[in-house]
Amino acid sequence: MYLFHIIFLLLFISRSTEAISSNRKTIFQCDQHFDESQPEGVIEFPSLPKQLAISHGVNNSKPEQQYNLQCVYTFVAGPRQRVRLEFDHFLLSGSSENCDIEYVDIYSEVESVDEDILQSALGGRYCGTVAPHVRISLRHVMKIVLHSRSTNHEDSHGFRAKYSFIPEDKFIAGEPVSGKKCSYIIDSSDRKIGTLYSPTYPGTYPHNMHCSYLMKGYRGERIRLFFTDFDIFFGGEHCPYDSITIFDGPTPSSPIIRKVCGLQQRMEIYSMTNSLLIHFNTTHPAKSDPRGFIMDYEFSSRFVNIDKLLNKQRGVTHIRGTECDVRVESNRETTHTISSPNYPEVYPANTTCTYIIHGLQGEQNLEKVILTFDSIAVLSFDTSPATAPPSVDDIACPSAWVGIAIGEGNMKAVMSSTDDSIFDVTLCERIPSDSPLLGPYISEGPRMVMQFGSTDTRDDRITPIGFKATIEFKTDFGVTGESLGTSNECRFRFTSSTGFFNSPRYPANYPLDTNCTYYIVGQPGKEILLHFEQFALSGDDDSNCNDYLDVYDVFVKNGKEELRLKERYCSDTFPGPSVSAFGSHEMRVVFTSGSSGTANGFKALFEIRTARKEDVPRGEAHIRRGAYRCGSVINATADKPNGLIISPNYPVKYNKDVHCDWQINVKEGYQVLLKMEAIDVEGEMTADSASCQKAVIRVEGAPRMEYCGTKREFFEAYLSPSNSVRISFLTAPDKVNGLKGFNLSWTEVKNLSGKDESVCKSDSLYLCTYSKLCIDAKLRCNGLDNCGYGVQDDTDEQHCQNQPTRSFYSAKFMSTSSGSLKEKSADQTIVVAAIFCGAIFLFICILFLYLFKTKLDKKKKSKRKSDTKHRQRQPYRQQKPMHKPQFDSELSPPATSRFVHHDATGIMPPIPLHQIGTSSRDMYS
C-alpha cells in the first residue's frame, strides 16, 4: 500500500515537471561564423532554421512563448584586413534606458578568435530602435552577441546588418613605433601629401585609447593639417575627456597649438616649424558613438616664411596654428611695420593673412591705432600702372586685396574665419604714393583688423609688389577736437559754434594722474556758454578735491594771455550753466585727476554765440538769439536803501536760456547785506554739496559758489566785503523744468561790530541791537528783517505800530521796483495765456458741436427705426373666399403656426384676432 502511494507520487511529480517544462522558455544556441570565404554578406535576426526551431520546441503558433537566445556572430577577416559592420534595420525590445530583455553587445577590439569576450572591451550595448553606428574592427576580428528573452514575434522585429572585409592600409598612418599599439611616425621623405584617419573611422572609435602621430619634415618646410571631418566626444570647454592635442614641435613639451573636441568644420592648422606631434586620447563616454576624424596633411616649403614676415620686431608675433596671421601689440606709444608675405617680392597665391592690431587698454591706458601704408601694389586686374587714384567705392578686388576692418562688427566677422568678411575699406592695384587711399586710417577704439588675401598672383614686373604699412599706437583720450602737442598729451582745441568735450575715456572711468586741457576758442565779438550733461568726480570726506575741474576766462592783452579762474569744481558740486566773462571770447577748462580714486568723469557742452553788449544790462530786458538777457545796475540812495531782486517772471515759471546779471552799489564805507526771502530753483543743495545742473544763482564772493534748490536756509545772510556785489542767474539752453525762481532782498548796511557805535546815533540811522549793523531808520518796521546777520536779530521789526506784513511789502516793492522787466514779462505771460485759453475754448466749442450733431443724428435714426417697426408687414394669413365671411374661429392651424413662428419669443402677441383679420383684409384689399 505504501509502495503504491510512493509510485503514484513519483508519477505525479514527473508529469508536473513535464508540464512545467512545456511552459518554460526554450533555450538553444544560434552562433554563426563568417570568414574570408564569405568576404561580405548580411546577418539577420530572427534567422532560425525551421528544423532547429522544431527540434528545440519553439512553437510559432504560440506567440506568447519566449525565446531564450544567446547568439554569437563572429567575423574573421583575412590578413591586413578589417571588419566593417553597418546596420540598416534595428528593432529590438526595450529602450536605451532599459536593455534587460533583449540587446546586442558589440566587441570590435577583439585581438583573436579564441579570445574570451568576457575579458574583451565592450564596444557598446544596444536595444530598442536606436541602431549602432557604423563599426570597424580595430584588428581583423569582430564579435557581436545577441541576448533575447523577448515574446515579440512580429515580422519587423529583429535587426539586419551588412558586413564586409576592408583593407586596413588607410588606417596605417605611417611607420609604426615598436612597442606601442597606436603610434606612428609620418616623414615627409616618404610622403609629402596624405590623409590620416582615426583608428576606426568612420566607425565609432575605441574607448580608453591613446594614439600618437609624429610628423617630421625637412628643414625649411612647414606642415598644413586640414580636418575634413571631425567628431570627437565633447565633454566640456577644456575637453577633459576625449580630445585631440596638437603640439607645435616634436615632443609633448612643445607649445600647444590647439586642444580640440566636439564637432568642428573645416579646421585648418599650420605648424610654425618642420615638425608636429598629434595626440588622440579617448575615454569611455556614455551613450555616444563619435566617429573620430579624417585629416589631410601636407609638407611644403611654399608656405609663408614666418621669420621673414615678422622681421624680428618686438611686439609683432605669429598667431600659432595659422599660416601667416600676425598679432601686433603696443608697448606703449610704439611704432611697428607690417608687410605682405615675401615683400618686396611677389606674394604667394591662395594665401590669407590676418593682422590683428591691439593697442593698450586698461584702467590706466587706452590707445588708438593709426595705420598708414608706405606702398600698395596688390594686383587684381590689369597690370598696367594706375593713371589716377581710384575711389574707395569703385574698388573691387577679386584676385587679391587688402581689407581694413575698423568697426566692431566687421572686425568680429573677419576674425570668425568665414567667407562673409566685410571691410570698412578694401584696397588693391598699384596705388600712387600721393593717393589719400594710403591713409592714415584711425581706429574707433584700441583695436583694428587688417587682412591680406590672394587667390591668384599677378606680376607687373615693377617692385615693390605687395604692401608695406606703418602702425602707430597713440594714447586715445576719447576726446573729440583738435589734438595739440604730442600724442600722449591730453590737450584739445574746439572752434566750432557748438560741440562737446569730456573727461578722458568717458563714460568709462578716467585714468589716475592725468591732466587734460580743453581750449574753447571763439572769435572777437563772441562769448562762450558752457553747461554740463554729466559730472561725477572722485572724492572723499577728507579731501573732496582730489580730482577737480578748473574753468578759466582767457583775456588777450598786447599779445599775451591772461587767465582768470572762474570756479574750481570738485566732487561735491555739479556745475551749473556758465558764460565767459565780458570781453573774453575764449574759455579754458583744465581737468586734473589724483593718484587714487576714479569715477566716470564729465561731459560738457558749449556754444559760441554773439557776445552781450554790456557787462550788466542798463536798459530793459530783451531776447537775444533765443537767449533771454536781463538784470540791471542798482544804486542805493537815501530814498532807496534796500530792495528786492527777483528772477524773471517770478513767481511764474522761468524759461530756458536765461542770463541775468545784477550789480548793487552802496555808499563808500557801507556794505550790502543779502538775504534769501524765497527760492524755488530746480536742483538740489545740502549742507556740503550742490547740484545746480539746469539753473544756478551765483553771488560774487559768497561762501558757496552756486545756489539752487528749494531750501532757503542753505543761503545764509551774506555781507559783501566791499560796497558792491554782483548776482547772476543762468538757466541751461536746453529743456528746463521752469520753477518759480527766487526772491532776494538787499540792504545797505554799515558793520559797527567792534567799532565806534556813536556814528549810528543820529535820528536817520538805526543800530541793530545784536548784529551791530547800522541801517537807515526808514527800514524799521518795513516788514523785512534788515538786521539779521551772524546772529538772530529782528530788533528793527519790534515795537512797531501799523506794521506792514512781509508779503504786503514784497508785493508792493515787486510792483514798483522791478520796472519794465516785470511789466514786459507780465505782458508776455498774459498774451501767451490768452492765446492758450482761446485755443482751448475753440477746441471745446468744436467738440461740443460735434457731439451735439452726433446725438441729433442718432435721435433721427432711432425715430426712423421706430416708424419702420410700426409699419412692418403682418404675418401671412390664408385668404378665404370673398363670398364666405371669415370668423375668428376659422383661423387655420397652419396660419397659427406661422403666426407663432414669426414671433421671436414664440409667444402669441396680445392682439385680438379680429384686429389681425382687419389688418389682413386691409393689406390684401
Side-chain angles (χ1 to χ4, degrees):
M1 187 66 179
Y2 290 106
L3 182 60
F4 175 77
H5 284 293
I6 292 172
I7 294 173
F8 179 78
L9 182 61
L10 292 175
L11 182 61
F12 176 77
I13 293 173
S14 175
R15 293 191 175 183
S16 299
T17 303
E18 291 178 3
I20 294 172
S21 177
S22 64
N23 293 324
R24 184 178 296 174
K25 302 171 186 176
T26 306
I27 303 174
F28 54 88
Q29 294 289 333
C30 53
D31 298 349
Q32 297 189 46
H33 186 92
F34 306 91
D35 56 23
E36 56 185 328
S37 62
Q38 298 175 301
E40 60 182 21
V42 176
I43 61 170
E44 292 183 289
F45 169 76
S47 58
L48 299 178
K50 184 175 181 180
Q51 295 79 4
L52 182 63
I54 294 175
S55 65
H56 286 80
V58 177
N59 190 349
N60 292 330
S61 64
K62 297 181 179 181
E64 71 281 358
Q65 188 172 3
Q66 297 180 349
Y67 297 133
N68 188 4
L69 301 180
Q70 178 174 299
C71 301
V72 180
Y73 302 83
T74 303
F75 304 88
V76 182
R80 301 185 63 83
Q81 285 186 330
R82 301 271 187 100
V83 181
R84 177 188 173 100
L85 185 66
E86 186 173 1
F87 290 81
D88 56 15
H89 173 69
F90 195 87
L91 179 60
L92 300 181
S93 299
S95 64
S96 59
E97 303 294 335
N98 184 4
C99 288
D100 293 339
I101 297 176
E102 193 170 39
Y103 54 87
V104 168
D105 288 340
I106 299 180
Y107 298 88
S108 58
E109 302 172 40
V110 180
E111 295 190 10
S112 65
V113 178
D114 300 329
E115 182 180 341
D116 186 0
I117 59 176
L118 297 180
Q119 304 299 322
S120 301
L122 176 63
R125 174 169 292 179
Y126 303 89
C127 63
T129 59
V130 180
H133 190 60
V134 175
R135 289 283 176 162
I136 295 179
S137 63
L138 186 60
R139 297 171 183 83
H140 71 291
V141 179
M142 180 188 294
K143 293 185 179 183
I144 67 172
V145 180
L146 168 69
H147 299 269
S148 176
R149 292 183 290 115
S150 173
T151 60
N152 192 340
H153 298 168
E154 297 179 0
D155 293 339
S156 61
H157 183 76
F159 65 79
R160 184 175 186 273
K162 297 178 182 179
Y163 75 89
S164 59
F165 300 143
I166 60 175
E168 71 167 357
D169 295 343
K170 70 176 184 178
F171 299 106
I172 308 301
E175 183 69 24
V177 178
S178 61
K180 296 184 178 180
K181 293 183 178 180
C182 186
S183 292
Y184 302 93
I185 297 176
I186 304 169
D187 200 304
S188 67
S189 60
D190 298 330
R191 189 182 303 173
K192 294 289 185 181
I193 298 176
T195 302
L196 191 151
Y197 297 85
S198 57
T200 57
Y201 183 89
T204 302
Y205 56 72
H207 300 154
N208 301 314
M209 190 173 189
H210 172 77
C211 291
S212 175
Y213 308 90
L214 175 59
M215 311 186 76
K216 299 168 63 177
Y218 288 114
R219 183 181 180 87
E221 288 184 331
R222 296 178 65 192
I223 307 167
R224 174 184 178 266
L225 308 180
F226 185 75
F227 291 85
T228 56
D229 189 20
F230 191 98
D231 180 16
I232 307 296
F233 172 72
F234 181 78
E237 181 180 359
H238 301 290
C239 303
Y241 301 105
D242 300 2
S243 66
I244 284 183
T245 305
I246 303 172
F247 300 90
D248 199 358
T251 66
S253 60
S254 302
I256 295 177
I257 297 178
R258 290 189 71 177
K259 183 178 182 181
V260 208
C261 58
L263 294 172
Q264 305 290 333
Q265 292 183 345
R266 302 180 62 81
M267 183 170 62
E268 186 178 45
I269 291 176
Y270 289 84
S271 69
M272 192 171 179
T273 60
N274 63 335
S275 60
L276 272 180
L277 177 63
I278 303 174
H279 281 179
F280 176 40
N281 296 297
T282 71
T283 57
H284 196 161
K287 302 176 183 177
S288 176
D289 281 346
R291 58 184 175 272
F293 63 89
I294 178 172
M295 180 191 78
D296 296 332
Y297 63 87
E298 178 184 0
F299 297 90
S300 178
S301 58
R302 67 177 178 83
F303 301 131
V304 175
N305 186 319
I306 296 299
D307 293 335
K308 184 177 180 180
L309 184 67
L310 301 182
N311 198 24
K312 298 181 179 180
Q313 293 184 81
R314 182 181 179 185
V316 181
T317 56
H318 170 244
I319 299 178
R320 198 174 296 277
T322 66
E323 180 182 6
C324 53
D325 291 355
V326 173
R327 179 180 287 108
V328 184
E329 296 177 298
S330 170
N331 191 29
R332 193 175 181 86
E333 299 279 334
T334 52
T335 301
H336 307 270
T337 300
I338 58 174
S339 61
S340 56
N342 299 338
Y343 182 87
E345 305 299 328
V346 178
Y347 47 80
N350 299 316
T351 300
T352 300
C353 302
T354 302
Y355 303 80
I356 303 175
I357 308 166
H358 283 285
L360 294 179
Q361 183 179 17
E363 293 184 356
Q364 285 300 107
N365 299 295
L366 183 66
E367 292 182 329
K368 60 185 175 183
V369 181
I370 301 176
L371 174 68
T372 306
F373 288 94
D374 300 335
S375 66
I376 293 183
V378 180
L379 307 180
S380 192
F381 288 111
D382 189 5
T383 58
S384 61
T387 58
S391 168
V392 174
D393 297 331
D394 296 337
I395 293 179
C397 310
S399 301
W401 68 91
V402 172
I404 305 171
I406 299 175
E408 188 68 26
N410 291 346
M411 288 191 289
K412 289 181 179 179
V414 174
M415 291 189 294
S416 65
S417 301
T418 63
D419 296 332
D420 298 327
S421 298
I422 301 175
F423 302 104
D424 294 282
V425 178
T426 304
L427 304 172
C428 60
E429 308 306 335
R430 187 174 291 279
I431 298 178
S433 59
D434 58 348
S435 172
L437 294 178
L438 296 178
Y441 298 95
I442 302 175
S443 65
E444 296 176 354
R447 187 170 63 171
M448 181 186 290
V449 176
M450 195 190 81
Q451 187 180 88
F452 165 76
S454 66
T455 58
D456 194 4
T457 299
R458 300 179 185 232
D459 189 357
D460 60 358
R461 302 186 183 279
I462 302 175
T463 56
I465 193 167
F467 78 88
K468 183 179 181 182
T470 300
I471 297 172
E472 295 179 85
F473 294 102
K474 291 190 175 182
T475 301
D476 182 15
F477 295 100
V479 180
T480 60
E482 179 188 357
S483 179
L484 304 176
T486 60
S487 63
N488 61 351
E489 289 184 286
C490 185
R491 297 168 58 205
F492 299 91
R493 178 165 53 201
F494 304 85
T495 57
S496 59
S497 58
T498 59
F500 71 92
F501 58 92
N502 51 266
S503 55
R505 303 179 58 182
Y506 177 87
N509 289 355
Y510 51 79
L512 305 177
D513 295 317
T514 299
N515 184 278
C516 285
T517 304
Y518 309 89
Y519 300 79
I520 303 100
V521 182
Q523 297 299 320
K526 299 290 184 179
E527 68 180 14
I528 301 166
L529 170 66
L530 182 67
H531 60 109
F532 288 80
E533 182 179 291
Q534 176 64 28
F535 192 87
L537 302 187
S538 175
D540 50 49
D541 296 336
D542 297 332
S543 176
N544 61 9
C545 248
N546 185 46
D547 303 340
Y548 54 89
L549 187 77
D550 289 335
V551 180
Y552 294 91
D553 288 318
V554 181
F555 296 88
V556 180
K557 294 181 180 179
N558 300 323
K560 295 183 179 181
E561 287 187 346
E562 178 185 348
L563 273 64
R564 296 180 188 174
L565 178 65
K566 293 175 71 70
E567 297 293 350
R568 169 170 289 187
Y569 295 100
C570 305
S571 61
D572 59 351
T573 304
F574 193 121
S578 178
V579 177
S580 59
F582 183 71
S584 171
H585 57 269
E586 181 177 345
M587 292 182 78
R588 195 160 301 169
V589 181
V590 180
F591 170 68
T592 303
S593 65
S595 58
S596 63
T598 184
N600 297 121
F602 65 88
K603 180 180 180 181
L605 296 89
F606 67 86
E607 179 181 342
I608 301 176
R609 53 171 66 174
T610 302
R612 52 194 184 274
K613 295 181 179 180
E614 48 190 352
D615 190 12
V616 179
R618 294 182 179 273
E620 294 185 355
H622 60 279
I623 297 176
R624 175 174 54 88
R625 292 187 61 189
Y628 190 80
R629 180 75 171 126
C630 59
S632 62
V633 176
I634 303 172
N635 295 312
T637 63
D639 295 331
K640 186 181 177 183
N642 78 328
L644 292 176
I645 294 176
I646 58 172
S647 58
N649 299 335
Y650 183 84
V652 184
K653 293 182 178 181
Y654 53 78
N655 297 320
K656 67 178 182 179
D657 207 358
V658 172
H659 180 194
C660 299
D661 289 304
W662 295 272
Q663 179 79 34
I664 303 173
N665 301 317
V666 297
K667 295 190 295 287
E668 287 291 337
Y670 280 74
Q671 296 168 280
V672 182
L673 176 65
L674 297 178
K675 302 187 73 174
M676 187 64 70
E677 302 297 329
I679 182 170
D680 188 14
V681 176
E682 58 192 286
E684 183 179 3
M685 287 190 71
T686 64
D688 53 5
S689 66
S691 177
C692 304
Q693 178 183 7
K694 294 297 184 180
V696 63
I697 304 168
R698 292 189 178 93
V699 178
E700 184 181 28
R704 301 186 67 164
M705 64 180 73
E706 298 183 350
Y707 296 92
C708 59
T710 58
K711 298 180 180 179
R712 65 189 185 99
E713 58 267 23
F714 292 126
F715 189 102
E716 299 178 354
Y718 170 66
L719 191 64
S720 65
S722 65
N723 67 328
S724 179
V725 69
R726 182 164 178 165
I727 302 101
S728 299
F729 176 62
L730 291 97
T731 63
D734 53 3
K735 184 179 179 181
V736 296
N737 292 331
L739 302 183
K740 292 181 180 180
F742 67 91
N743 180 6
L744 182 68
S745 68
W746 64 270
T747 305
E748 181 185 51
V749 301
K750 190 178 188 71
N751 189 2
L752 298 179
S753 177
K755 298 179 182 179
D756 184 10
E757 300 178 5
S758 62
V759 298
C760 197
K761 294 296 185 180
S762 66
D763 294 338
S764 62
L765 299 175
Y766 174 77
L767 181 63
C768 299
T769 305
Y770 304 107
S771 62
K772 302 302 180 183
L773 296 179
C774 183
I775 63 174
D776 195 297
K778 292 192 296 292
L779 300 182
R780 287 203 67 235
C781 301
N782 68 345
L784 291 176
D785 181 8
N786 300 295
C787 283
Y789 172 69
V791 295
Q792 181 66 32
D793 190 347
D794 58 354
T795 53
D796 62 321
E797 298 299 317
Q798 293 180 2
H799 309 293
C800 296
Q801 295 180 356
N802 300 326
Q803 177 178 336
T805 62
R806 177 184 297 265
S807 59
F808 170 79
Y809 180 86
S810 300
K812 180 180 178 181
F813 189 88
M814 287 167 55
S815 65
T816 58
S817 64
S818 58
S820 59
L821 171 61
K822 182 63 179 179
E823 293 175 2
K824 186 175 182 69
S825 300
D827 291 343
Q828 291 177 349
T829 303
I830 291 172
V831 171
V832 173
I835 294 174
F836 181 73
C837 292
I840 292 178
F841 178 75
L842 182 62
F843 174 76
I844 292 174
C845 291
I846 294 173
L847 180 62
F848 176 77
L849 291 175
Y850 173 76
L851 294 176
F852 179 77
K853 184 178 181 300
T854 304
K855 186 174 183 181
L856 186 61
D857 292 343
K858 287 184 178 179
K859 188 174 182 180
K860 289 180 179 180
K861 187 175 181 181
S862 177
K863 185 176 180 181
R864 285 197 299 269
K865 286 185 178 180
S866 177
D867 294 342
T868 304
K869 182 177 181 181
H870 288 294
R871 291 195 305 269
Q872 66 182 359
R873 186 172 68 87
Q874 297 295 329
Y876 173 76
R877 298 289 178 268
Q878 183 178 0
Q879 295 185 1
K880 298 296 182 180
M882 296 297 294
H883 65 276
K884 186 176 180 180
Q886 276 188 334
F887 301 97
D888 297 341
S889 60
E890 294 180 356
L891 188 63
S892 63
T896 305
S897 64
R898 286 193 294 272
F899 185 85
V900 173
H901 179 73
H902 279 74
D903 181 52
T905 60
I907 302 174
M908 291 287 288
I911 303 175
L913 291 179
H914 66 275
Q915 291 183 8
I916 298 176
T918 303
S919 176
S920 178
R921 285 192 295 271
D922 294 339
M923 188 183 307
Y924 295 103
S925 60

